[in-house]
Amino acid sequence: RLSSGRRRHREPAAEGCPPGDGGSMRCQQVSVLYFARSAELAGLRSETLSVPRQITSLQLWEEIVKVHPRLAVIRDQVVFAVQQEYVLLGDQLLVLQPGDEVAIIPPISGG
């Protein structure tokens, strides 16, 4: 469809995802869910981000922190889950599919 105004991208492309990328670094739209303190720091509960299809869990966290720098303060305390499977931040390679769900879960205090 044609529109009367300029088109703007809603999401900034991740560093490894140039517009029109058609190579092996193809990007995927993933759903990022924020819980508890991560939601407070990010200022929202969920969003869709464009990230490389193949990315390490640490690189994925870094891409999310680029969008929401305030999340950096919980890096060493956060639980990260991709498709409801816990993932340690590190060199573990993830192969993401369109619509995959990434959850940012900070520690929950209890008594």
Side-chain angles (χ1 to χ4, degrees):
R1 286 187 241 182
L2 296 175
S3 65
S4 58
R6 284 191 214 179
R7 290 181 64 177
R8 288 188 170 187
H9 294 284
R10 286 186 156 194
E11 304 290 339
E15 192 173 291
C17 296
D21 176 72
S24 61
M25 288 289 291
R26 278 197 346 228
C27 293
Q28 302 302 324
Q29 296 287 318
V30 297
S31 180
V32 183
L33 308 176
Y34 301 95
F35 295 92
R37 181 138 164 82
S38 69
E40 293 172 21
L41 293 169
L44 68 165
R45 292 207 167 275
S46 66
E47 68 183 328
T48 300
L49 294 178
S50 181
V51 296
R53 184 166 100 66
Q54 293 188 14
I55 189 169
T56 68
S57 55
L58 182 58
Q59 289 170 329
L60 179 57
W61 171 252
E62 290 169 349
E63 290 296 327
I64 293 168
V65 169
K66 282 181 191 175
V67 179
H68 303 288
R70 295 178 61 201
L71 289 172
V73 300
I74 61 170
R75 185 217 184 272
D76 294 330
Q77 305 150 1
V78 75
V79 175
F80 199 58
V82 178
Q83 288 302 98
Q84 301 179 0
E85 295 286 331
Y86 291 116
V87 176
L88 295 175
L89 295 184
D91 294 333
Q92 178 180 350
L93 184 65
L94 304 172
V95 180
L96 301 171
Q97 301 300 319
D100 274 0
E101 184 180 88
V102 176
I104 311 301
I105 309 165
I108 298 169
S109 60

